[in-house]
Amino acid sequence: MRVAAVTLSLLVAATLVAVPAHGQEQPPADSDDRRVEAGIAPGTPVPDPRPGEAFADPAVAELQRTASEVQRELGTLSRRIESARQRADAAAARVRKAKREREAAEQVMAARQDEVDAFSKSVFQAMGRADEFRLLVTAANGKELLDGTSMLGRLRDAQNERLSGALRRHRDAVRAEESAEAARRSAVASESQLRQRSVDATNRADAVSAELAGPVDAANQAVIAQQRAQRERNRKTADNWNAYLRRLRQAGVSAPPARALADATRLPAGLRPLPGKDGEPQPGVAQVGVDGQRVLVLAKETIAAVSAAVAALGKPYVPHEGGQGPLAYSCDGLVSSVFTGAGIELPGSASRQLATGRRVPAGDAQPGDLIFVGPKRYGVQSVGIVLDERTMLVADARLAGVVVTDRPAGDAVLGVVRPTLGRQEPRPVPQRAEGELIWRCGGVELPRRQADEAAGAWGGYPNGLIPAAALCSTGAGSHVLRCDAAQAYHAMSRAYAGRFGSPVCITDSYRTFDAQVDLYRRKPSLAAVPGTSNHGWGLAVDLCGGVESFGTPQYRWLAANAPAFGWVNPGWARQGGGREEPWHWEYVGTG
């Protein structure tokens, strides 16, 4: 029977850009606070490399293409700013060095002059005029004359050396002074260039919002329309499923356990086999006549699993940890959760679910069967729960939630499994081909740029333009993150409170694209290029309450304990890491 037949749409609980509930639209109260500025490793690549089909809608993909062009341009400006800053810093360092050398030369010169003055005074006081004639007339013999002449020469040489050394130091001081003046002029020129580069970037950022207004508006309109359609599709699916359950109850049909349907030739009384496409009875399902019509009979466990999945419609998507609910799901996490909860234990990954599941022909798929999605070159990248011959229920990365969507067709179908038939020894399943992007649950996952840094792009939306429905509260005011990160943050904050008596202090979390543009406009030499910060993926936080300084008890506690909750202060943000930001922490998971 058909459980649902409605049009494909998109799950979004708010418009694409306008998410005021996040509390991140307005610029920070302290615009000079550097703690809100960067949030990304130096030299990080700018563009989002995901293909258009990885996004939730063609209008969203077009928005990303436009944003990427802007990001490349702003990235070039940022590199010029950084180059100018480095030159200015180097020039300032030369000024400081030259000043130190000049001061040292002046001190030595003054000391040598004092020594020469003292030496000359002592010689004249002791001997009067110390010359060869005086020695000639006063010497008692030839040896005394020769010794005196030699001593006088040594004294004169020593005096001359001191005077020459003082003169050399004086020349060194003059050169150091000249070098300091040249370095000062270089520093002034570099600072002027830095200011000009910053003005260029600010002016360009001012134009960004205007340039993106059209694509953002088009994406918003598309998302709003899809939002309505998706909600309607979800509602009709739930209504159709509940109508099916009512029909069974009204007919007096009690769903039998899976073991009672395993042998299609020995079904409970009143049930008839359901033939497959080949005419043979199908195991695991049956049918019954009600008022002259045939009604599908599913196993009790299947009904419980599908009912739980229908109840999860609208929940957010997360890629890995936390994907088994109840707040958010991955595609395979949802399948494992609802069937395990119904008494049929399934592995946690889609590839293992296909490898160990008992397959049925795709043409015989019934509600509650699992359909695995490829194509083969992507490996087993997704799994959905069949609802009828056209639709399935899935936690979809591209649509960022648990949704009803069209079933795949053709080579995108890798197989269909009926969980109530039990498991078998693992068999080989398709693996991702070398060089292919990592597709998972219908979306593209990007590898981490660094082992201790958040992976970045996820879901079917650009950085900073993620719908509110795809994010979860951290439990701290209006701050939101991707749901797995939010759950981990909340647990970490509770543990922190057990040590310090209050939760972790947080100043920033998910950062919208508009907020990133505003920061870049105000602080182009410090802020990340809009659309590149991990704040825009809902995977980073900025902390306070002592954490913002290296070496404090609060920072040391987080450095020792946060990784157990999947949170790290990235290597580039640590002391000596290149851009020291003790307040910046990112979610990398614990797997």
Side-chain angles (χ1 to χ4, degrees), residues 316-320 322-325 328-335 348 395 440-441:
Y317 166 83
V318 292
H320 297 287
Q324 298 211 7
Y329 294 91
S330 63
C331 56
D332 38 17
L334 173 66
V335 165
R440 172 166 167 75
C441 298

Side-chain angles (χ1 to χ4, degrees), residues 203-411:
N203 290 340
R204 188 66 190 90
D206 282 338
V208 167
S209 293
E211 290 183 12
L212 292 180
V216 167
D217 183 63
N220 263 329
Q221 295 304 314
V223 168
I224 290 170
Q226 288 184 335
Q227 173 186 353
R228 296 193 188 102
Q230 185 66 58
R231 282 203 294 254
E232 181 63 13
R233 189 176 203 186
N234 290 347
R235 185 190 64 77
K236 287 185 177 180
T237 295
D239 288 348
N240 288 344
W241 178 252
N242 290 327
Y244 163 71
L245 297 181
R246 283 196 303 273
R247 193 174 187 190
L248 287 180
R249 289 194 298 269
Q250 290 168 358
V253 177
S254 179
R259 63 178 181 276
L261 300 178
D263 185 348
T265 65
R266 301 178 60 185
L267 297 174
L271 301 183
R272 301 198 305 269
L274 180 69
K277 295 295 184 182
D278 60 2
E280 295 296 319
Q282 294 190 57
V285 294
Q287 62 180 338
V288 64
V290 178
D291 298 330
Q293 295 182 331
R294 293 183 299 176
V295 177
L296 176 69
V297 178
L298 301 171
K300 177 179 64 174
E301 294 88 343
T302 300
I303 289 177
V306 175
S307 295
V310 169
L313 282 170
K315 293 294 182 68
Y317 166 83
V318 292
H320 297 287
E321 296 177 49
Q324 298 211 7
L327 297 181
Y329 294 91
S330 63
C331 56
D332 38 17
L334 173 66
V335 165
S336 176
S337 175
V338 297
F339 276 96
T340 298
I344 300 177
E345 187 173 353
L346 293 182
S349 72
S351 60
R352 289 287 296 174
Q353 290 166 4
L354 177 59
T356 60
R358 295 192 180 276
R359 302 188 187 186
V360 298
D364 289 343
Q366 301 297 325
D369 288 347
L370 307 180
I371 186 165
F372 294 87
V373 185
K376 288 183 178 180
R377 67 181 184 277
Y378 294 165
V380 187
Q381 61 100 355
S382 187
V383 57
I385 299 173
V386 172
L387 295 176
D388 60 28
E389 62 188 29
R390 291 204 307 117
T391 65
M392 68 177 183
L393 188 153
V394 62
D396 190 278
R398 189 174 60 90
L399 306 181
V402 180
V403 298
V404 177
T405 186
D406 289 345
R407 281 172 49 176
D411 64 358

